[in-house]
Amino acid sequence: GQQVMQIPQYQHVQEGEDFTTYCNSSTTLSNIQWYKQRPGGHPVFLIQLVKSGEVKKQKRLTFQFGEAKKNSSLHITATQTTDVGTYFCAEVKRGSSNTGKLIFGQGTTLQVKP
Amino acid sequence: NAGVTQTPKFQVLKTGQSMTLQCAQDMNHEYMSWYRQDPGMGLRLIHYSVGAGITDQGEVPNGYNVSRSTTEDFPLRLLSAAPSQTSVYFCASRRTVNTGELFFGEGSRLTVL
């Protein structure tokens, strides 16, 4: 079954509002990645976080890795209609580092009302 | 570079039929993988490969076979299709085994009647 939990599953926001999705694991992660999938498209890599407490920004997107490396978040400031899509976190667990097995969360689907 | 190429994009099968989804990458990536995507289930790993001649099972391997005879190609075989295998299938690769971004193909939508 799924080993990384992502919440919420769906989020509807008004354009200009902020949005956050959370990814939680029961075990310590080697690193975590975030992907975006536009409707009808394929997932596209956004970022990878490796260090405990790491924070990275890409324009209006802020990614954070928890201090214990068991959770992560993606925050979008002032959403735009171009942000519509499903956001996935993906994890490589400690102990799996020599297999590269990447397990995805269920995803959060973001709808933005103009 | 074409990146990751999947064929076919769409396929309809009858229960019990077999078929192969093709995946090729021209980036000399070590790692290749297959995922299926179903509503509300996210992306689930079927099989993956860390190099030519090496494959391993993911989260949902039953009903699927893979092989990796070359670095470039990683076909996914459905031995006897079932309606439960109706899904969108994505092939993905990355340069190294342990880290780095996954590059996805455009997906193959399979319907099993």
Side-chain angles (χ1 to χ4, degrees):
Chain A
Q2 210 73 24
Q3 297 175 44
V4 57
M5 298 301 298
Q6 196 171 347
I7 54 171
Q9 190 172 1
Y10 299 99
Q11 186 82 54
H12 294 246
V13 300
Q14 196 73 38
E15 190 173 21
E17 291 181 339
D18 292 356
F19 159 76
T20 305
T21 174
Y22 301 90
C23 194
N24 299 300
S25 175
S26 57
T27 59
T28 304
L29 307 173
S30 296
N31 58 68
I32 196 157
Q33 299 181 351
W34 286 90
Y35 291 78
K36 177 183 178 181
Q37 183 179 26
R38 295 182 187 276
H42 59 276
V44 175
F45 175 81
L46 293 176
I47 209 158
Q48 177 172 280
L49 304 173
V50 178
K51 298 177 183 176
S52 169
E54 189 170 16
V55 178
K56 288 188 176 180
K57 293 191 176 185
Q58 291 179 350
K59 297 182 180 178
R60 293 178 296 105
L61 277 61
T62 301
F63 303 84
Q64 189 161 3
F65 204 6
E67 292 290 341
K69 300 183 74 172
K70 287 187 176 182
N71 56 73
S72 182
S73 64
L74 158 59
H75 179 82
I76 302 178
T77 304
T79 55
Q80 300 176 358
T81 54
T82 53
D83 295 324
V84 164
T86 300
Y87 293 85
F88 293 98
C89 61
E91 59 169 3
V92 176
K93 285 191 165 42
R94 288 175 78 90
S96 297
S97 59
N98 60 344
T99 69
K101 198 162 63 172
L102 200 62
I103 303 298
F104 281 76
Q106 300 98 322
T108 297
T109 298
L110 173 65
Q111 296 281 4
V112 180
K113 289 175 275 189
Chain B
N1 285 350
V4 180
T5 303
Q6 285 183 240
T7 56
K9 286 187 169 47
F10 300 95
Q11 182 73 50
V12 178
L13 290 177
K14 294 181 179 177
T15 297
Q17 287 184 317
S18 63
M19 78 155 299
T20 300
L21 298 176
Q22 301 291 345
C23 176
Q25 53 88 11
D26 61 357
M27 299 174 281
N28 200 32
H29 284 179
E30 285 185 328
Y31 179 91
M32 297 186 73
S33 54
W34 276 102
Y35 290 87
R36 60 175 289 173
Q37 184 172 34
D38 304 292
M41 302 294 289
L43 292 155
R44 291 184 291 170
L45 182 64
I46 305 172
H47 285 286
Y48 64 101
S49 168
V50 299
I54 306 169
T55 64
D56 206 347
Q57 296 181 349
E59 302 170 278
V60 288
N62 293 342
Y64 307 94
N65 274 359
V66 290
S67 60
R68 184 97 179 268
S69 55
T70 66
T71 300
E72 295 77 20
D73 300 299
F74 191 47
L76 178 73
R77 297 184 189 85
L78 282 70
L79 307 173
S80 177
S84 61
Q85 294 178 303
T86 293
S87 188
V88 179
Y89 292 85
F90 288 100
C91 179
S93 72
R94 64 182 181 188
R95 188 174 59 84
T96 61
V97 171
N98 293 330
T99 189
E101 66 177 283
L102 272 183
F103 292 84
F104 282 81
E106 294 188 351
S108 300
R109 184 175 294 274
L110 175 67
T111 302
V112 183
L113 302 175

